[in-house]
Amino acid sequence: MNPNTPLPQVPSASPRPVRHLSDVQRRVTTAAQLRAQGVAPAEANDQCRPGGPWQQLLPGVYLLHPGPPTSEERLHAVLMYAAREAAAPAVPAQPGAGGPHRQVYQDAMITGLAALNLHGLSSAPPLLSLEHIDVLVPRLRRLRSTGDAHIVRTAAMPAPELATGIPVAPVPRALADAVAQLTDAGAVRRLLSEAVRGGHCEPAAIVRELNDAKLLNRPHVVDAVDSLLAEGRAIAEDRLYTMVCEYGLPDPVWNVDLRLPGGPHLGGLDAYWPEQAVAVELDTRAPRQDEDALWSEYARKREHLERLGITVVHITPRKLRDSMEQQAAVVRTALMASGDRDPAAYVVVLPR
């Protein structure tokens, strides 16, 4: 909207002049907000006649200028349409909650490709190129998809995050809602990969959302997830190596298998300090249907090693990313405590 374009006028009897509204509300508003300004529904409809100064973007949502809506206007229009308080969806923010003009939308947030774009993923398409904008609402809301608004329902609403002042679904949830509509295997792989490489989330969080959305039975999604998990493990291994180097831990042997002399295979480890009998294992389990069985395997291996006197430190990729110093301290403590323990059983260390 041209800043020199005069704002729409409302009757002088309006209890609150339009200038008291936020910038977004001056351009995109609802029938309820217009009524609060003294604009009757018939008058609003008249303003939206062909060639008129306003246009109706969605049921009960108006754009107060005749030109095409901007990306920001489309986003706010969809949120106004889907917000729980549909009669007055924009609740003024409390002081200190992001500025005087930030709007708070109840039980509605942008998800899917639009949310990924707002999170800064370059592999998500531009907002203006999207035919519709996905908006997440509780399952029991009585809404239908229409116009720019594509309604996505969920039994459990995640906590929204703010991106450029817009409430958006967290990256893992937004990815699941985007992938549900994508058939291009390359596009799916690029989105998942960028989310992990860019540090937006860990692979396990993505797989959990895809599993909950029942998308892991689609071959192109499974292929993308397999690539994602391999890439996620490589990133975690690199962070583990960085932790050992940056925090002055003694050099371990990397990526080894342990065996009892002439006996069975004890399991693979990501790092092992033979003199101290301390091991580190990266917990890169993906939450699929066999998660319980996989965890049982982890637990059995850990219990077996600890019965032999080997201390096993489990570290998740997320902890390595978010609290590397703390994880280094845990490993250092285990190494220092080795002198107070009985000697571990002799094991054969082989490259993995």
Side-chain angles (χ1 to χ4, degrees):
M1 183 176 181
N2 190 319
N4 298 319
T5 301
L7 295 172
Q9 297 299 309
V10 298
S12 58
S14 169
R16 292 181 60 212
V18 169
R19 65 175 178 272
H20 285 199
L21 299 176
S22 72
D23 188 48
V24 170
Q25 284 176 294
R26 295 188 191 194
R27 306 191 309 265
V28 185
T29 191
T30 66
Q33 290 170 329
L34 287 173
R35 282 197 301 272
Q37 302 302 313
V39 180
E43 183 177 354
N45 292 334
D46 185 62
Q47 295 290 324
C48 296
R49 67 189 184 282
W54 297 357
Q55 48 189 310
Q56 187 170 359
L57 293 181
L58 290 161
V61 181
Y62 298 89
L63 180 65
L64 303 186
H65 66 78
T70 65
S71 295
E72 180 191 26
E73 290 166 349
R74 291 180 72 202
L75 290 166
H76 281 282
V78 166
L79 285 167
M80 287 180 180
Y81 169 70
R84 177 168 54 85
E85 297 179 1
V91 180
Q94 297 299 316
H101 296 326
R102 187 174 70 82
Q103 294 175 302
V104 178
Y105 296 99
Q106 301 296 318
D107 283 344
M109 66 188 76
I110 302 299
T111 189
L113 290 173
L116 296 175
N117 180 289
L118 291 170
H119 277 295
L121 272 69
S122 61
S123 49
L127 291 173
L128 283 175
S129 71
L130 297 177
E131 293 184 4
H132 63 257
I133 293 172
D134 297 319
V135 57
L136 191 63
V137 301
R139 177 173 293 170
L140 298 181
R141 289 292 314 283
R142 298 182 63 181
L143 279 172
R144 61 182 179 87
S145 298
T146 183
D148 281 352
H150 177 248
I151 301 300
V152 180
R153 304 179 190 281
T154 181
M157 290 284 284
E161 300 176 6
L162 278 182
T164 67
I166 301 288
V168 296
V171 169
R173 174 67 208 224
L175 280 169
D177 290 332
V179 168
Q181 302 173 60
L182 293 174
T183 57
D184 184 336
V188 172
R189 186 176 295 109
R190 286 190 296 272
L191 286 169
L192 301 190
S193 177
E194 185 182 355
V196 172
R197 285 184 186 176
H200 296 281
C201 56
E202 295 299 330
I206 297 173
V207 178
R208 183 178 298 109
E209 289 288 353
L210 294 175
N211 187 50
D212 289 347
K214 297 179 173 54
L215 296 173
L216 293 181
N217 58 353
R218 302 183 183 184
H220 70 286
V221 177
V222 173
D223 290 345
V225 166
D226 289 342
S227 298
L228 174 73
L229 294 176
E231 183 173 6
R233 167 162 274 281
I235 292 172
E237 290 174 345
D238 186 62
R239 287 175 180 159
L240 180 60
Y241 181 80
T242 299
M243 182 190 79
V244 169
C245 294
E246 289 191 357
Y247 291 95
L249 297 173
D251 289 334
V253 288
W254 297 98
N255 295 316
V256 296
D257 276 320
L258 300 187
R259 290 182 182 274
L260 288 172
H265 173 245
L266 298 173
L269 298 169
D270 295 285
Y272 184 58
W273 288 262
E275 292 184 10
Q276 295 86 359
V278 172
V280 165
E281 185 168 30
L282 290 171
D283 185 355
T284 56
R285 289 173 297 137
R288 306 197 200 190
Q289 278 127 4
D290 57 354
E291 181 181 9
D292 290 342
L294 189 56
W295 173 246
S296 296
E297 181 183 334
Y298 270 80
R300 281 195 300 270
K301 179 168 70 174
R302 180 173 184 169
E303 290 171 3
H304 193 177
L305 291 175
E306 291 187 342
R307 282 198 300 270
L308 295 172
I310 297 172
T311 299
V312 181
V313 179
H314 273 269
I315 302 179
T316 65
R318 181 174 181 177
K319 287 181 178 178
L320 268 179
R321 183 192 70 184
D322 297 341
S323 56
M324 184 179 288
E325 182 176 5
Q326 181 183 9
Q327 301 312 304
V330 171
V331 174
R332 182 178 287 107
T333 299
L335 293 171
M336 293 173 62
S338 64
D340 300 328
R341 302 194 309 267
D342 293 333
Y346 178 75
V347 295
V348 179
V349 181
L350 300 170
R352 183 163 60 172

